[in-house]
Amino acid sequence: MDDVRALWDEVVVVPDFPEPGISFKDLSGILANPTTLGIAVRAWADACRGEEPTMIVGIEARGFPLGAALAYELGCGFVSLRKPGKLPRAVHRREYALEYGTSALELHQDALTAEDRVVIVDDVLATGGTAAAAVHLVRETGAHVISLAAIMDLPFLGGRGVLQAEGVRCHVLLDDDGNPHPHP
Amino acid sequence: MDDVRALWDEVVVVPDFPEPGISFKDLSGILANPTTLGIAVRAWADACRGEEPTMIVGIEARGFPLGAALAYELGCGFVSLRKPGKLPRAVHRREYALEYGTSALELHQDALTAEDRVVIVDDVLATGGTAAAAVHLVRETGAHVISLAAIMDLPFLGGRGVLQAEGVRCHVLLDDDGNPHPHP
């Protein structure tokens, strides 16, 4: 677990984005550095390989590159949870509250089956509102949600507890002070 | 090259999306199937490994999962070209015409350097308008654009010629009839 500390060197904290009072954690540098991209993906893969996932589900948009790299490493398929109006065929839809505002996610109804074992991927776990909407959307297809993988947890916002209440494990690599985060 | 024909089995053509008269090529099934995801990523990697790329640049949003899987396979970094307002720090910006409407892309000014050799990734090459905007954005950082990788070319829209005029190679796997597409 020690080398996940290297991820923190690539984190940029941007004050007052996207709204005044929000301290945005810009994790784009982790993906731009092949060393840290590899550390993050392998740490998640080691954590969830034993859960025998079949599908990685990425949350738009920062969960897409991270989730697809994990899918590629594990030999799983990759499915997108998208903002409204982006998917061309019949969808399930969930509205949810954000740290700032509200939004919704959609999932193609035929993207997953009851045989699928799913890891959901996003960059940051905050209030858990987005993550819980993702969990419920995936369950509408009949698929089983095993765990959520994120780079960073903001513990003061309580997202981990929201997922625990749903019976979903968390694989989070760092907290917002750069400390390696314990696995469940 | 033969096995790229398997990609076509995962393509769904959706009429009149996102606008009447547009025939949308839904490639999400290629990512959802680990076999075809692997075929696509390895075909691109084989095509561009000799170009010695350092960075893969994905176009929002469908270029993100594909581009990051390619970056992971090649040991490159991954950088996002995003829709306006999504990136938290100083950006370069380009407006462009779409097959349907107009849009813009942004790139963090410090995301690339003059030493970077870049492959741009998107799902579909259509008119080349988005791709040309991406090429110009990347060049604003001083980085060198080597090639563009896409799953599908719509040859009747002429995007390949737009990129050739920019001196950018195309690694496209299929045309819109499902035929394997010749490399440059």
Side-chain angles (χ1 to χ4, degrees), chain A residues 12 14 17 24 26 31-32 34 41-42 55 61-62 64-65 68 72-73 75-78 82 85-89 108, chain B residues 12 14 17 24 26 31-32 34 41-42 55 61-62 64-65 68 72-73 75-78 82 85-89 108:
Chain A
V12 180
V14 183
F17 184 89
F24 185 84
D26 179 11
L31 285 91
V41 170
R42 284 190 304 271
M55 283 284 191
R62 296 186 192 89
F64 288 0
Y72 193 73
E73 166 70 21
C76 294
F78 174 81
R82 298 224 50 182
K86 303 292 186 179
L87 291 173
R89 297 181 292 107
H108 271 149
Chain B
V12 179
V14 183
F17 185 88
F24 185 84
D26 178 11
L31 286 91
V41 171
R42 285 191 304 271
M55 283 285 192
R62 296 186 193 89
F64 289 0
Y72 192 73
E73 166 70 21
C76 293
F78 175 81
R82 299 224 47 181
K86 303 291 187 180
L87 291 173
R89 297 181 292 106
H108 270 150

Side-chain angles (χ1 to χ4, degrees), chain B residues 30-105:
Chain B
I30 292 172
L31 286 91
N33 177 337
T35 301
T36 47
L37 176 60
I39 289 171
V41 171
R42 285 191 304 271
W44 284 339
D46 291 346
C48 71
R49 195 175 274 112
E51 298 168 348
E52 299 183 353
T54 61
M55 283 285 192
I56 309 301
V57 170
I59 298 177
E60 183 163 356
R62 296 186 193 89
F64 289 0
L66 292 163
L70 178 61
Y72 192 73
E73 166 70 21
L74 290 170
C76 293
F78 175 81
V79 164
S80 299
L81 292 185
R82 299 224 47 181
K83 299 290 170 61
K86 303 291 187 180
L87 291 173
R89 297 181 292 106
V91 296
H92 298 299
R93 177 192 171 97
R94 284 269 169 169
E95 316 239 350
Y96 61 98
L98 279 173
E99 190 180 354
Y100 31 84
T102 63
S103 191
L105 287 173

Side-chain angles (χ1 to χ4, degrees), chain A residues 5-75:
Chain A
R5 289 177 189 274
L7 304 179
W8 183 249
D9 296 336
E10 301 291 353
V11 175
V12 180
V13 179
V14 183
D16 299 320
F17 184 89
E19 310 248 326
I22 304 292
S23 173
F24 185 84
K25 311 304 180 296
D26 179 11
L27 308 187
S28 59
I30 292 173
L31 285 91
N33 177 338
T35 301
T36 48
L37 175 60
I39 289 170
V41 170
R42 284 190 304 271
W44 283 338
D46 290 347
C48 71
R49 195 175 274 113
E51 298 168 348
E52 300 185 349
T54 61
M55 283 284 191
I56 309 301
V57 169
I59 298 177
E60 181 162 359
R62 296 186 192 89
F64 288 0
L66 292 163
L70 178 61
Y72 193 73
E73 166 70 21
L74 290 171

